[in-house]
């Protein structure tokens, strides 16, 4: 049997649906964005087969800390609202906040952007957000991949992933092992749902029938739900240099009750006072429109607390003052006590 031949001559990459010109145009847009994030240690960044980074010489015994994540189904709202300029901040935030909990300074970030058909303006807006997130975190965007894969994604949709690498002195790693009964839990406010729980968020929006353009607390509901994830890197690293921090938890998927135990010794429980903060409007709306139980709210969402920091009781007041002075909204949210039998390690009475 003979092999079928393409009519009218051979096929090209363009015939497969790949827009080479768009790829070249995007590279031209990306390079200045990446340059705006450069910092000490970058030896070679965007453009080569691999990026080169030298750990800053001020580290005596550097330990590298890495984290990877995506934006999840929050992207579905971005597509619906045609709002692509902040999901890149979310992407960076999810990884740099994760490595921050061990005391690591984010050094560099790489991203992966995949789509069915490349729309230069959309991709540039997304990568512009990634660059902004890197600037907020003080890390360099030194590489990434833009994959155009016809047939894999509906036109106008894309997926995002990324990873961050940071460094911490071996002697300064924060691992929670020093946490003991009597310690205090300091909460840092979130900017909204961040990038977690959006499958439930989207379901609540659907069931409620609420228009995403409807006015909500001085902005549209869509804008409230798309608020970019807060990046805590600079104020928390500055805090670590002046206060002996015992443990840090980034409140992501699993909410408050599943993330705080990740940094606790097995013999203690974190008791967080539910009356120590007011549930922000966006979470009140989600709870009321979805008829979501308190326990489910605490398991799925950050509920207004994006990060918690555990310190000795004697350091609690200056920790709160330091963070508030750096522009964060921080407060004492609870304390650590001895664990009772096999109770859950985070309780919100």
């Amino acid at each position: 049997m003979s092999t079928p031949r393409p009519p009218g001559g051979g096929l090209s990459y363009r015939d497969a649906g790949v827009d080479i010109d768009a790829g070249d145009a995007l590279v031209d847009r990306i390079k200045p964005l990446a340059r705006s994030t450069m910092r000490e240690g970058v030896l070679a960044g965007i453009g080569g087969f691999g990026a080169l980074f030298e750990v800053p010489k001020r580290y005596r015994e550097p330990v590298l800390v890495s984290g990877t994540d995506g934006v999840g189904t929050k992207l579905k709202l971005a597509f619906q609202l045609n709002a692509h300029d902040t999901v890149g901040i979310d992407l960076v935030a999810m990884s740099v906040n994760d490595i921050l909990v061990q005391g690591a300074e984010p050094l560099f970030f790489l991203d992966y952007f995949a789509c069915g058909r490349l729309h230069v303006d959309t991709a540039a807006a997304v990568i512009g957000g990634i660059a902004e997130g890197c600037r907020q975190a003080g890390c360099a965007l030194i590489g990434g991949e833009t994959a155009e894969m016809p047939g894999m994604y509906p036109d106008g949709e894309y997926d995002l992933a990324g990873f961050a690498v940071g460094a911490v002195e071996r002697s300064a790693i924060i691992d929670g092992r020093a946490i003991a009964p009597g310690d205090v839990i300091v909460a840092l406010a979130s900017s909204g749902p961040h990038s977690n729980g959006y499958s439930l968020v989207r379901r609540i929006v659907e069931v409620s029938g609420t228009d995403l353009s409807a006015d909500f607390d001085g902005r549209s509901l869509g804008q409230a739900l798309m608020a970019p994830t807060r990046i805590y890197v600079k104020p928390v690293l500055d805090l670590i240099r002046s206060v002996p921090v015992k443990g840090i938890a980034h409140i992501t998927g699993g909410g408050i009750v599943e993330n705080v135990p990740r940094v606790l010794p097995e013999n203690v429980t974190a008791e967080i006072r539910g009356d120590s903060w007011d549930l922000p409007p966006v979470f009140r709306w989600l709870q009321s429109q979805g008829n979501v139980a308190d326990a489910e709210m605490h398991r799925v969402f950050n509920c207004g607390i994006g990060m918690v920091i555990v310190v000795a009781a004697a350091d609690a007041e200056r920790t709160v003052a330091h963070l508030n002075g750096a522009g964060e909204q921080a407060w004492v949210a609870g304390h650590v006590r001895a664990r009772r039998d096999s109770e859950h390690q985070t309780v919100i009475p």
Side-chain angles (χ1 to χ4, degrees):
M1 180 181 292
S2 62
T3 303
R5 300 180 61 84
L11 295 175
S12 73
Y13 209 25
R14 295 181 193 278
D15 295 313
V18 177
D19 190 341
I20 298 171
D21 293 334
D24 292 340
L26 181 60
V27 169
D28 291 339
R29 299 273 288 274
I30 289 173
K31 285 183 176 179
L33 293 172
R35 283 196 294 270
S36 73
T37 71
M38 290 301 100
R39 52 157 294 160
E40 62 169 330
V42 178
L43 302 181
I46 299 287
F49 286 100
L52 302 177
F53 193 96
E54 179 182 38
V55 177
K57 291 183 172 58
R58 67 176 183 276
Y59 285 97
R60 299 182 302 277
E61 293 183 294
V63 173
L64 297 181
V65 184
S66 61
T68 184
D69 213 329
V71 181
T73 61
K74 188 174 185 178
L75 290 178
K76 283 290 190 181
L77 283 182
F79 306 150
Q80 187 174 346
L81 295 166
N82 194 28
H84 309 286
D85 56 337
T86 59
V87 291
I89 299 175
D90 290 308
L91 182 67
V92 175
M94 298 306 289
S95 288
V96 297
N97 284 342
D98 271 358
I99 66 174
L100 173 65
V101 304
Q102 291 171 296
E105 171 196 5
L107 299 176
F108 60 84
F109 187 85
L110 289 92
D111 71 278
Y112 176 78
F113 177 98
C115 59
R117 178 173 173 235
L118 183 60
H119 296 272
V120 175
D121 288 344
T122 297
V126 171
I127 296 170
I130 293 172
E132 172 58 24
C134 286
R135 289 191 292 269
Q136 291 183 23
C139 64
L141 175 60
I142 60 172
E145 167 70 1
T146 301
E148 187 177 14
M149 299 182 288
M152 286 290 289
Y153 300 91
D155 190 30
E157 296 194 4
Y158 53 83
D159 197 13
L160 284 176
F163 76 86
V165 173
V168 60
E169 292 286 4
R170 179 182 292 273
S171 61
I173 294 173
I174 298 172
D175 57 16
R177 285 187 293 180
I179 294 173
D183 288 340
V184 168
I185 300 165
V186 174
L188 282 79
S190 68
S191 54
H194 286 179
S195 293
N196 298 107
Y198 275 84
S199 294
L200 180 55
V201 168
R202 290 168 44 242
R203 180 60 177 158
I204 292 171
V205 171
E206 179 186 353
V207 169
S208 72
T210 307
D211 187 344
L212 289 172
S213 65
D215 181 70
F216 182 84
D217 200 34
R219 53 183 170 172
S220 73
L221 175 61
Q223 289 172 326
L225 294 174
M226 286 299 297
T229 306
R230 190 158 186 85
I231 293 175
Y232 300 101
V233 170
K234 291 181 180 179
V236 171
L237 285 179
D238 190 52
L239 173 73
I240 290 169
R241 287 188 280 267
S242 59
V243 175
V245 171
K246 293 188 173 188
I248 307 174
H250 182 202
I251 311 304
T252 54
I256 299 171
V257 297
E258 298 297 334
N259 281 288
V260 176
R262 296 169 67 181
V263 299
L264 298 176
E266 290 187 3
N267 65 328
V268 301
T269 289
E271 187 169 304
I272 298 175
R273 300 195 322 273
D275 62 357
S276 70
W277 85 103
D278 293 326
L279 196 66
V282 69
F283 294 106
R284 291 202 301 270
W285 184 88
L286 289 166
Q287 183 167 29
S288 65
Q289 293 297 312
N291 193 27
V292 184
D294 287 345
E296 184 71 356
M297 290 291 294
H298 298 152
R299 191 188 68 82
V300 175
F301 299 118
N302 66 59
C303 293
I305 298 177
M307 184 166 280
V308 301
I309 297 176
V310 183
V311 296
D315 295 319
E317 185 175 337
R318 63 173 174 147
T319 296
V320 170
H322 189 111
L323 291 168
N324 287 335
E328 298 299 321
Q329 182 183 348
W331 67 95
V332 171
H335 67 281
V336 177
R337 59 167 172 77
R339 190 178 184 187
R340 298 164 187 162
D341 299 322
S342 58
E343 71 174 337
H344 197 282
Q345 283 197 278
T346 299
V347 295
I348 306 177

